Amino acid sequence: MALVSILLAVVAFGCTVIGFLTTPIPVVGVVFSFGAAAIALAGIMLGGRATSAAKSRGLPMDAARIAVGLNVLAFVPALLVAFTCGVCNAIVSTGNVHVQKGVDFGFGPKGWPGFDSDAGAAALPPPERARDASTQAAEPGSPSRNPTRGQSMPRPPRSAPGGPSAPSAAPSLPPPPLPPGPGR
Amino acid sequence: MHPVLTVLDWYGVSRPIGSYGAMLVLALGCGAAVTLRATQRARLDVGAMISALAGAVGVGFVTAFLTTLLVSSLEHDSFQAGLAQPGITFYGGAIGGALGLAGFARVFGLDPMTALDTALPGLPLAHAIGRVGCFLGGCCYGAPSSRAWAVIYTDVLAPGAHPMLPRHPWPLYEAGCLLLLAALFVSGRRFASFPGRRAGTYVALYALVRLLLEPLRGDALRGLLLHGTCSVSQVIAAATGAAALGFLWHAKRAASRSPLCARAPQV
C-alpha cells in the first residue's frame, strides 16, 4: 500500500508539471491540473491507511510515512497549479490554440464555456495587433475563408524550397487574466 | 489587495501564482497539522485520521464548487451562467467536508463524532487563513464604508476594485472572529461532555457569526435572496445553526439518559 502511495505521489508530480505546461490548452490543462491534486489526495489516503496498518501490525512505518510526506509535497504544488492554471484554463482560457476543424472532445453539451475545442480567443473578435499582422501576412497570398467563424483568415505564403520562410503572423495575446480568488 | 503572489517562470513558461491559492495551501497545511496534533493528544489512530482528512478535503472541494454552481445556476436560471461564474463556497465545502470526514472516519475505524470534535480548532484556524487569502485576492469584499479602517482595493484584478470605493475589510472581520472561535476551542476539555458537542457548538457559534457579519458584505456574486435582503449564506447559516442546536439538545438528552455513556475523548 505504501509503495502504491509513493507511486501516486510521483504521478501527481508529473501531472502537476504537465498541468502547468498545458494551461493554454482547453480541457487538457484542467484535467491535469485538477487530476494532480486528486491523485495526491488519493495518495495521502493510501499513505494514511498504510501508516495505520503498519502500526496495528507492529511493522516499521518508515515507508508509509515517506509516502504520506511525498504525497503532501505533491499536493502543495498540485493545488497551487489547480487554483491558478487549472481554474484559469477552465474559466478564462484564452489560449491561442488552432485545432483541426471538427475536433470535439466530447465534454458536455455544446456551448459549455471552457470545454469547446475552440473556446476562448477564437470566440472573440481578433485584437487590433492580430488584424494588422494578418493584413501584412495576407498580402503575398490570397485570404482563405474560415467556415467556422466566417472571418477572413490569412493564408501563409508558400515559400520556395530552400528559400526564406515568411515571418510568422501569429498574434501575441496577453497572458490570461488570473481569477482573483474564487472564495466566497 | 495583492491578487498575484508571484509569477512562476519555468523554462520560459511563466504562470502567475495567486495569493488566494497560496493562502489556501497554507490554510490546509495548518489546519491538518493542528488536527493531527489533536488526534495524537486524544490517542486516536493518526493514520486513519490522515486518510479521513484527505478524503474530507477532496469531498469538501467538490461540494464547495457544486454549491456555487447550484446557487449561480438558480440565480440566473441557467446552468451555463453558473458555469461561467465558478468558484467555491465555504459553507458548501464545510458541510461536504464534515460529512466526508465523518463518513471516511467511519470507514477507517474512527468514531465519526469524535473525528469531527478533533477537527477543532484546526477548522476555524484554516478558515481564518483562507479569509486572509480572500482579502489578498480582493474577493468576498465588504460593503462601502466611511469608517477609518475602510480599505480600497486598487488592483484591477481584485473584484472589489470595481468600483474603487472604501469598503469594510470583511474578510478580516471574519478572520478575526474565526481566530476567536479557534482560541475558544484550543482546550480539548472545553465543550467535551459528550461526543459531537464540540462540533455542534462550533457550528452554532459560526452560524451566529456569519448571520451577524453577512450584512456588511458588499459582493452580490455570493447570491442574494428576497430582493437582496438576505444572502444564501445567511439562509444556510440559519439552517445549520438550527440543526446544530437541535443536535446538541438531542444529544444532551440522550447523554443524560444513559449514565454509562462514555465521556468523549479529550482532544
Side-chain angles (χ1 to χ4, degrees), chain A residues 89-164:
Chain A
N89 180 286
I91 307 168
V92 285
S93 174
T94 54
N96 191 17
V97 179
H98 298 286
V99 293
Q100 194 177 352
K101 180 191 168 190
V103 170
D104 187 3
F105 290 98
F107 275 75
K110 289 286 182 185
W112 277 29
F115 290 96
D116 280 350
S117 57
D118 59 348
L124 301 172
E128 291 301 322
R129 277 184 295 166
R131 224 174 264 147
D132 297 342
S134 66
T135 309
Q136 290 171 5
E139 281 174 0
S142 60
S144 63
R145 199 78 178 162
N146 183 355
T148 56
R149 296 289 167 197
Q151 292 174 347
S152 181
M153 298 293 285
R155 176 184 292 173
R158 289 185 182 178
S159 58

Side-chain angles (χ1 to χ4, degrees), chain A residues 39-111:
Chain A
I39 291 170
L41 278 177
I44 293 172
M45 287 181 75
L46 269 182
R49 287 295 295 154
T51 307
S52 188
K55 191 178 181 183
S56 63
R57 292 174 190 166
L59 298 172
M61 294 190 292
D62 296 341
R65 282 179 178 165
I66 289 171
V68 171
L70 279 178
N71 277 289
V72 169
L73 286 178
F75 182 66
V76 170
L79 197 65
L80 278 176
V81 168
F83 265 84
T84 51
C85 306
V87 172
C88 196
N89 180 286
I91 307 168
V92 285
S93 174
T94 54
N96 191 17
V97 179
H98 298 286
V99 293
Q100 194 177 352
K101 180 191 168 190
V103 170
D104 187 3
F105 290 98
F107 275 75
K110 289 286 182 185

Side-chain angles (χ1 to χ4, degrees), chain A residues 83 179-184, chain B residues 1-4 18-24 27 88-90 126-142 151 153 157-161 168-175 178 206 210 217 219:
Chain A
F83 265 84
R184 293 187 180 189
Chain B
M1 299 297 268
H2 199 70
V4 179
S19 302
Y20 182 81
M23 294 305 286
L24 198 62
I88 55 175
T89 305
F90 168 75
H127 193 182
I129 297 172
R131 282 300 181 202
V132 175
C134 289
F135 183 67
L136 292 175
C139 64
C140 308
Y141 51 87
V151 294
Y153 295 92
L157 285 176
H168 283 289
W170 194 88
L172 297 185
Y173 292 167
E174 189 174 294
L178 287 165
Y206 176 71
R210 194 67 186 259
R217 275 184 77 159
D219 53 332

Side-chain angles (χ1 to χ4, degrees), chain A residues 20 23 45 49 52 180 182, chain B residues 15 45 51 68 88 140 157 221:
Chain A
F20 179 81
T23 304
M45 287 181 75
R49 287 295 295 154
S52 188
Chain B
R15 299 277 183 269
D45 188 350
S51 299
T68 312
I88 55 175
C140 308
L157 285 176
L221 191 67

